[in-house]
Amino acid sequence: MNGHVKSMHFQQFMEPATTLLSLLLLMAVDSTRTVAASRNQQCGNSLQQTLKLTRLAHKESVDLIKRYKASQGELSELFCKVSVSDVPDPNISGMEPPERLLSIYTHLQAFFPHFKRVYEQQTDLQSPTSPLLTELTMVSARSSTLSAQLNNFYQSVFPNLPIQEPAGRPTSLPPPQNIFQQKVYGCVVLKTYKEFLSNVSRELRTLKSKVCRRRIQLNSIFF
């Protein structure tokens, strides 16, 4: 068999092999894109669920402040306007999405001991059947649920950047207070929490384009 015939046989052998390889590559790319699209859909769904829960918590915090003021007697409208130290910052910090999500999570954690202190103080000031105590319990429970949801969302989007739980000294709480100071403190805590949730809602809407859609763009570039 001369060289020309051998070359023809080799070409005839390679053509289907090349075609098969191309098909396999296309299938691999298509499969990768399908998986990527599914993951980004999950990202969007998880973020939307987190945003929905945040909005619900914000609505409840608005209702709670109204209930709180109504139960504090005279001068209740002035309580939230007084400056109080040692209350968590409602602002979100960080430059990149992981840092800002982590800031949301840690700031939310910082409110928990303050909720507990406000509840304890209001237990002494209100009757056992007061609706305010029930609403304080509900808001505290909702914040715990939101914290868990934020944790799950963060872990799903940034699996290689585990959440670092707050370390160092415990959250600073105010020293013993008189009745007027307790009423002021409770109102400021709840008002600050409402502001924080408003900031979180705005931040999550911004993160949707920075986190979930960015994944789609990166997958499009590489495939």
Side-chain angles (χ1 to χ4, degrees):
M1 184 181 294
N2 58 38
H4 177 69
V5 174
K6 288 183 179 179
S7 177
M8 290 181 61
H9 279 284
F10 180 75
Q11 291 177 357
Q12 291 174 353
F13 170 78
M14 287 300 297
E15 285 177 359
T18 302
T19 302
L20 178 60
L21 179 60
S22 299
L23 287 173
L24 290 174
L25 288 173
L26 287 173
M27 290 173 63
V29 169
D30 184 65
S31 175
T32 301
R33 286 179 174 172
T34 300
V35 171
S38 176
R39 287 177 178 174
N40 281 284
Q41 183 177 4
Q42 292 175 0
C43 175
N45 291 341
S46 179
L47 191 148
Q48 190 62 33
Q49 183 178 358
T50 307
L51 180 57
K52 183 177 180 180
L53 188 59
T54 302
R55 287 171 174 167
L56 177 59
H58 180 264
K59 179 182 181 303
E60 291 174 345
S61 71
V62 172
D63 296 337
L64 177 58
I65 289 178
K66 294 178 181 178
R67 174 76 68 180
Y68 185 90
K69 289 180 178 180
S71 66
Q72 302 305 308
E74 297 180 0
L75 304 177
S76 60
E77 288 296 328
L78 300 177
F79 292 156
C80 287
K81 298 179 181 180
V82 178
S83 177
V84 175
S85 59
D86 297 326
V87 174
D89 187 353
N91 298 312
I92 299 166
S93 61
M95 298 295 293
E96 297 299 323
E99 296 171 340
R100 297 188 71 78
L101 271 176
L102 186 58
S103 173
I104 292 173
Y105 179 77
T106 54
H107 276 66
L108 182 58
Q109 297 282 312
F111 276 99
F112 292 169
H114 291 277
F115 290 149
K116 182 180 179 181
R117 172 64 64 85
V118 172
Y119 181 84
E120 291 171 348
Q121 291 176 344
Q122 290 301 311
T123 299
D124 294 334
L125 298 176
Q126 306 295 325
S127 68
T129 59
S130 171
L132 175 62
L133 299 179
T134 301
E135 291 192 26
L136 282 169
T137 301
M138 290 176 58
V139 166
S140 181
R142 185 76 67 191
S143 64
S144 296
T145 303
L146 178 58
S147 175
Q149 177 64 28
L150 283 166
N151 190 315
N152 291 336
F153 176 66
Y154 181 94
Q155 300 286 4
S156 65
V157 177
F158 305 109
N160 297 323
L161 299 173
I163 283 184
Q164 299 295 325
E165 296 292 341
R169 64 183 182 88
T171 301
S172 178
L173 292 172
Q177 300 168 310
N178 59 39
I179 292 177
F180 177 78
Q181 290 172 328
Q182 290 178 15
K183 292 182 176 183
V184 168
Y185 167 72
C187 199
V188 173
V189 168
L190 299 181
K191 175 189 174 185
T192 306
Y193 180 61
K194 177 180 72 70
E195 294 174 356
F196 168 71
L197 291 176
S198 179
N199 292 338
V200 173
S201 294
R202 184 165 52 251
E203 185 67 25
L204 291 178
R205 289 195 299 269
T206 302
L207 283 174
K208 185 174 183 179
S209 60
K210 293 183 177 180
V211 176
C212 299
R213 292 180 182 175
R214 177 182 293 180
R215 285 178 146 193
I216 295 176
Q217 293 171 353
L218 287 175
N219 286 317
S220 299
I221 291 173
F222 289 109
F223 298 102

